[in-house]
Amino acid sequence: VADLDRVEGPRFVHREEGLFPAPMPQDSEGVGAIEARFKFLGNFLGKALLDGRLVSLPLAEPVYKVLCGYPIGVADLDKVDREKAKHLFGLLEAAEKGWPDISAYCLTFEYAPSSSSHGFEAHALIPGGSEVAVTNNNAHEYVERMACFMLRDGVARQFEALMAGFEEVVPASRLASFFPPELRLLLGGDAAVSWTREELQEHIQPRNGYDAQSRAFNDLLDVLSELSRKEKHDFLAFATGVRVLPAGGLKSLDPKLTVVRKHTDENPDEHFPSANTCFHFLKLPEYSSKDRLATQLRGALQHGFGGFFFN
């Protein structure tokens, strides 16, 4: 955190495949500082698992395989960098079918990082790799060495630090009892958010001004059951702080999602809902109609992020 003021360029990374350590030469000067960060990340993930807390951190599938003690290889490359995998496997196909020599692409046995922020311009995959051209004859070796650097050799110290941090909180023997999809579900929750009105009625608690027969409470259940998938994620983020549900769905939320009446001195139709995410409290004014409730709730979901204006 102390280094953020010195960071140049974007501070956030989004990858469709999920987050995976950026490969880099393991003897470079910056690896030591990066190891400390990955160890902290391991502490954080271990504590989240121990306390049963969900983490809004979209890790790539191979990260969970490593945490559970499973090996990763070339077959996992498309789960880390889909475009890179498509390019490399395309080279293999061209070499195997004897298409025009791929040396025309002017590739060499080097890995080039996607950003200059990683602190190096290129890394030789073999001694003198910058002088060795990739051809139809050595394409297989090139792909294997590239995948090995991206998935193993270039991320070894990062993963060692991640595991060391994790094991300070949760013993490795505990992690070995999980399959990767199970660990992903426990840490990251279920991204396929869905619910029925019956499930909402069973697992959302009305309190402090509302009961199961209150019109406003039942209007809320109707509106929540009609939300789009994106709106459901937005609602969970607004009310609980996390965009997903834990394993088991609504019934597994701890504490339970609770709806309380929000008292206002003026017309409640002019007020937005608010939330206390720590306790999963949704504070709902007693609106005059279901339509007004839907309008104000969607307004809160659209504008209530990035601050505490609705908290």
Side-chain angles (χ1 to χ4, degrees):
V1 175
D3 294 335
L4 282 179
D5 290 337
R6 295 193 293 271
V7 173
E8 296 182 2
R11 298 181 180 182
F12 301 98
V13 176
H14 171 77
R15 294 192 65 85
E16 183 179 350
E17 303 87 351
L19 300 177
F20 190 85
M24 61 189 308
Q26 300 292 280
D27 58 354
S28 60
E29 294 181 0
V31 173
I34 290 174
E35 280 183 308
R37 295 174 184 176
F38 273 91
K39 185 174 182 180
F40 172 78
L41 177 60
N43 289 155
F44 175 72
L45 293 175
K47 183 63 174 174
L49 181 63
L50 189 66
D51 292 346
R53 300 297 181 184
L54 296 181
V55 178
S56 295
L57 190 64
L59 298 175
E61 182 179 325
V63 175
Y64 292 101
K65 293 181 69 174
V66 172
L67 288 173
C68 293
Y70 288 79
I72 58 176
V74 176
D76 295 291
L77 190 58
D78 68 331
K79 301 180 182 68
V80 172
D81 190 332
R82 191 168 296 125
E83 287 301 315
K84 190 73 170 181
K86 181 180 178 180
H87 167 69
L88 292 175
F89 296 148
L91 289 178
L92 283 181
E93 183 181 11
E96 290 171 354
K97 293 184 177 181
W99 292 346
D101 199 320
I102 60 177
S103 61
Y105 293 118
C106 299
L107 298 173
T108 59
F109 272 69
E110 288 184 301
Y111 170 84
S114 59
S115 170
S116 60
S117 65
H118 297 306
F120 68 103
E121 295 183 358
H123 173 73
L125 301 174
I126 59 175
S130 62
E131 304 297 327
V132 181
V134 179
T135 67
N136 286 20
N137 294 329
N138 61 19
H140 278 84
E141 181 186 4
Y142 171 73
V143 171
E144 289 176 0
R145 289 185 178 276
M146 181 67 75
C148 184
F149 179 72
M150 292 179 64
L151 301 177
R152 191 186 67 190
D153 294 348
V155 295
R157 290 176 63 178
Q158 295 95 306
F159 271 122
E160 287 173 4
L162 179 70
M163 290 301 301
F166 212 115
E167 290 177 11
E168 287 183 351
V169 184
V170 179
S173 59
R174 300 285 183 88
L175 290 176
S177 64
F178 293 110
F179 290 112
E182 293 175 330
L183 184 60
R184 183 173 194 162
L185 185 61
L186 289 173
L187 279 173
D190 188 355
V193 173
S194 65
W195 53 58
T196 64
R197 192 189 189 285
E198 290 70 25
E199 289 172 329
L200 293 168
Q201 188 166 17
E202 182 178 358
H203 301 299
I204 296 181
Q205 300 175 337
R207 296 279 176 85
N208 299 352
Y210 290 133
D211 58 36
Q213 285 71 46
S214 297
R215 179 188 54 78
F217 176 72
N218 281 278
D219 285 347
L220 174 67
L221 299 184
D222 290 338
V223 171
L224 292 179
S225 65
E226 296 166 2
L227 295 180
S228 67
R229 179 178 178 180
K230 178 183 181 304
E231 288 173 331
K232 289 177 180 177
H233 285 289
D234 290 344
F235 172 75
L236 287 173
F238 182 80
T240 71
V242 182
R243 296 178 60 82
V244 295
L245 287 170
L250 281 171
K251 66 181 179 182
S252 299
L253 273 179
D254 183 23
K256 294 291 186 182
L257 184 57
T258 301
V259 178
V260 300
R261 183 179 177 184
K262 182 176 183 178
H263 296 279
T264 61
D265 295 331
E266 303 172 356
N267 182 3
D269 283 354
E270 302 301 320
H271 291 262
F272 288 104
S274 56
N276 184 319
T277 56
C278 294
F279 297 100
H280 298 171
F281 265 46
L282 178 67
K283 303 170 185 178
L284 186 73
E286 191 169 12
Y287 295 110
S288 60
S289 68
K290 171 184 167 182
D291 288 343
R292 189 59 186 174
L293 187 155
T295 298
Q296 295 301 89
L297 178 63
R298 286 188 167 95
L301 299 186
Q302 182 179 358
H303 302 293
F305 296 105
F308 293 95
F309 314 113
F310 292 85
N311 190 308

